[in-house]
Amino acid sequence: MPVLKNPCKLKMANGEAASTGGALILEQEGRGTNPFEEDLEEHERDFFLGSNSPTRRIPSPGDGSGFGGDLFSGSPEGRYRRRATLERLVGLSPFRLGKGQKEKPPGGEKGSERRSFLGRLMIPLAEGNQDRRSPEKRKARRSSEDFSLLQRLNGRRKESLCSLDCGLAEKENGGGGDTAKRMSFLKIGLGAKGRRASLVEKPSPAEAAELVAVPGEAEPKPKEPLSVLEILSLIQQRDLLTADEHIIELEAECAQGRQQSPAGGEAQKDGSRKAKDVALLYEALLKELWAVLAESLAAKSGSPALELMVRVIEQEEDTDRRWLAAEGGAEGGSRPRALKRQWEEAVSRLVGQRLGQSLEGRAGPLPTQLDRLAKCAVEDLCAVKFHLLHAYPKEYQAFSVYLRSFHRGLAAHLAEVAQRSLTTAELYFVLDWSSNIYKREVLGRAEIASLVKAQELGPLLSPETQLRLEEACIAAVQERIASDLHQVLQQEEERWAQAAKEEGSQGGLCSRVISLLKAHADKAPQIADGFGMRMAHCCLASLAGFLQSFQRKVDRFHEGQAETGLTADDYTGRTIALANCCPPFRAYVERLARFGHPESEAAKRQANTSLDRVTRLCNHVLAEQLFQKLKPYFHKLMKRKWLSSSEAFPTIMALLAEHAEKLGRMELQPYQMLVKEVHRRVLIEYVRPLLRVQIICTSSKMRGKVAQKLRSEARQLQEFFTRLESASSWLDSAVPHLAGIIELEDTPAIQMEVGFLASKFPDVQKQHLVALLDVRGLRRQAQRQDILAVLESPELAESEAALGQDRAFFSEIPTGEVFCVRLQLHRASHLGHACLSRLRWRSGRRRRPRQQQQQQRREESVEAESQV
């Protein structure tokens, strides 16, 4: 309303001095002319007015401390202290009706419930003091539209204060402004204090008592509900617990209104508006709650705001429980806000944001990114444990909620990474990070390990994603290994044609190949057992294929040895190097097969077959080199000259020792196989000339000499191969048994010796024994048949059937017709010798000395013929 002044005395517009300022018309009016007089008398002790009681006389303009003089003279600070806003004069604002509505009579459709605060205030003032003594009811909640004026008045009041200050300045300077002339009572009531009390500012207990207590009344006035804007202001000031209480109260009013009001009409529209207000207030409340949640984690320190957030959640949960107990899930209401569940979801969103911020603007390799994520997770989890955990009740399990959120966040990031096109190294890193690094660097940290329950979290990668990445890694590794092994074999084949200049070159191929496979076969089992088993089979299959190619290359190398131009020593050294590659390959094949893949046995047999061929071929080459040198000396054995000469056999032993020295560079496995083969072949070549019947014993003395010679040389061979650690010691008894058959005179003793020979060497045949009896010089057919009958026993036949290839000895010495021809000539010579002896015996004994000499000559000639 305007300020009433006497227009005759208004001087401010003409710029006159302050001393002749305009007089207020209110000064001349009576006491009853003030419409607020009764109300101000009733509230003369209102603490907002202080010492300026409205019942006091209004001073005249002539007084020095009069209304006009005090208001427009003196310092601005003094004037501001004496002013009061209209809000304090009447208790609250605003001053107009709701938006777009006109005041209706009390008996209208809605009555005073739809009036603005000022409209409701003016009704009892107009009716006088009729209802002052009646008990007051609870005031209705103010409409949110009433506070739109308050927001606009805040801006207007600042402009008014600025205009007032400008007007006062002009007046002090002697000038008159229109602003001072148009000063309204509203502007005087608003005043120019620097700080206005907030609408939601809570008064002190003394002030609150003055506000609600009226002298002469025992019952206090009910508290007026807050409007939507006031609740929103509480939320913005983060008085969250109080704001939540009012929101719950407003929501209850909405529910009660829906139950009481009929469908349709203004009541339903009003209920819909309130429900929308509740939804918006909850949205603002949750926004502030989650902002507190984010700030506490970012600051890594506890705060009262976080504890207040927990109290709000507890209050909402308790309200949900009461609603469920009262409503029982009836239709028409969906009250349960489940704020605790929403808190867990907010934590999950917050963790996702934290993880995203740790990678924001920091591009780099995949290991670096995952390390940043792990560091962020560890730091935040430590902050939760040491600074935030005490703010939550124990039943919230706050640390587990944060831990699960980080776990899900990291799992989501890994799932996103798994969709990319990754290299072999990146595939390995993702799988290893998921299985090992995450558990070690995040879950296993000493600061938080006591609160972590890894079994409840589950894997970071889903089983399908894990299997897909593993298969992709195996396929990439198999392709890469095949390419690398082919390149290595090509380079090695080029070196084979060159002279071996370095001593350790024989280990180069197997070490390079195994190192290529070992990197994958050792790393995969550390990630997962199943992944390790499949990777081991992949490496085994690749190695088996490589060994097949290696065996073909070795065959071609030995076939084209004449074209390489290598010397005998270089060729021997290269052959030994190739043979030395087999034991490491064989051991690694066995190691890969132990992982237990169902298809490993087939790949293992394939690899071992290739290695056996390479080993046999290399040993055969080395043995053939030796026996090419020994062959001329073996032909000189088992002749008459052999009995008296010691040239051939010592040479054989010297060549064996020289060759054995070269074999010292071989690995143990091929070396033992080669020594075993050389041992067998040396004894075969030693016995072969004996069974060819190159010598025939004509007397027991000669048989004894031959047997002694055989035992002596057999003992030297046994000692030599014992030093070489030969595994064919069963061969050492062959020559002594043959010597025993030649030397023994008694038929049963000979039969026993033949039985021992046949039991240890089941492959001995009748032809071999017949040749041996010829060397012995046994002529009697009955004795021969008795001795040969030993080989026909059933026991010996069964032993021969069970003979293995590694125990074959006499079967390597073939028997032919040459033995039979020599046997018939030998018998004919013996028959002619017997006839001539009988004739000479009949001719007389006188010429016995001469006849003996002739007989000796004939025997020598017969022996010579038999040798031919």
Side-chain angles (χ1 to χ4, degrees), residues 730 758-765 796-812:
W730 59 276
S759 63
K760 294 183 179 180
F761 300 92
D763 59 338
V764 64
Q765 301 175 7
L796 296 178
E798 294 178 1
S799 300
E800 184 177 0
L803 178 66
Q805 184 63 30
D806 57 340
R807 302 284 291 183
F809 181 75
F810 284 98
S811 59
E812 297 292 331

Side-chain angles (χ1 to χ4, degrees), residues 511-717:
S511 62
R512 287 195 298 272
V513 171
I514 292 175
S515 63
L516 290 175
L517 301 174
K518 187 178 177 63
H520 304 287
D522 290 352
K523 192 170 186 178
Q526 298 175 1
I527 297 174
D529 293 337
F531 180 47
M533 181 178 64
R534 297 197 304 275
M535 182 61 73
H537 176 66
C538 169
C539 294
L540 180 58
S542 300
L543 181 58
F546 166 79
L547 291 177
Q548 279 189 332
S549 301
F550 174 68
Q551 181 249 321
R552 290 192 292 267
K553 298 282 186 182
V554 172
D555 290 343
R556 285 198 295 268
F557 169 71
H558 288 298
E559 290 173 1
Q561 185 271 335
E563 301 176 359
T564 59
L566 294 175
T567 62
D569 291 340
D570 290 339
Y571 180 61
T572 301
R574 181 59 63 190
T575 303
I576 291 175
L578 294 176
N580 285 342
C581 292
C582 296
F585 283 144
R586 196 182 303 275
Y588 200 68
V589 166
E590 187 66 27
R591 179 181 176 183
L592 293 176
R594 280 199 295 266
F595 280 90
H597 194 276
E599 301 178 5
S600 294
E601 287 300 322
K604 176 183 174 181
R605 286 194 299 270
Q606 179 183 354
N608 286 333
T609 300
S610 301
L611 292 174
D612 290 341
R613 290 177 181 176
V614 172
T615 303
R616 284 196 300 268
L617 179 59
C618 293
N619 286 346
H620 177 73
V621 170
L622 295 174
E624 285 298 323
Q625 288 180 338
L626 172 63
F627 284 99
Q628 288 296 329
K629 299 177 182 179
L630 296 178
K631 187 176 181 180
Y633 299 97
F634 279 121
H635 287 294
K636 296 180 180 181
L637 300 178
M638 310 305 168
K639 296 180 179 180
R640 283 186 173 272
K641 189 176 181 181
W642 163 70
L643 287 175
S644 58
S645 174
S646 60
E647 177 184 353
F649 188 76
T651 305
I652 291 174
M653 296 301 298
L655 291 175
L656 287 174
E658 180 183 355
H659 197 73
E661 185 178 354
K662 295 179 181 179
L663 301 181
R665 294 177 293 171
M666 294 184 69
E667 293 287 339
L668 181 61
Q669 185 180 7
Y671 173 80
Q672 289 178 344
M673 294 179 64
L674 179 59
V675 168
K676 179 180 178 180
E677 180 65 19
V678 169
H679 190 181
R680 189 180 68 87
R681 289 190 62 182
V682 165
L683 288 179
I684 288 174
E685 295 300 326
Y686 181 80
V687 174
R688 190 190 301 275
L690 179 63
L691 298 182
R692 284 179 179 175
V693 196
Q694 294 181 359
I695 186 174
I696 299 176
C697 298
T698 57
S699 62
S700 61
K701 182 179 179 181
M702 186 177 180
R703 287 192 294 271
K705 188 176 181 180
V706 170
Q708 183 180 3
K709 185 77 170 179
L710 290 174
R711 290 191 183 98
S712 175
E713 293 178 351
R715 185 169 55 254
Q716 295 182 48
L717 290 174

Side-chain angles (χ1 to χ4, degrees), residues 366-367 422-431 473 480 523:
L366 182 60
L422 303 176
T423 63
T424 304
E426 290 175 339
L427 287 170
Y428 267 126
F429 185 80
V430 170
L431 292 170
C473 184
R480 182 176 179 180
K523 192 170 186 178

Side-chain angles (χ1 to χ4, degrees), residues 72-104:
F72 296 102
S73 63
S75 63
E77 291 79 1
R79 293 198 301 273
Y80 296 160
R81 286 193 299 268
R82 286 190 292 272
R83 292 177 184 171
T85 63
L86 186 58
E87 296 174 49
R88 295 191 176 185
L89 289 173
V90 297
L92 284 172
S93 66
F95 308 103
R96 66 179 179 86
L97 294 173
K99 182 179 181 181
Q101 298 181 5
K102 295 182 179 180
E103 183 179 0
K104 295 182 180 180

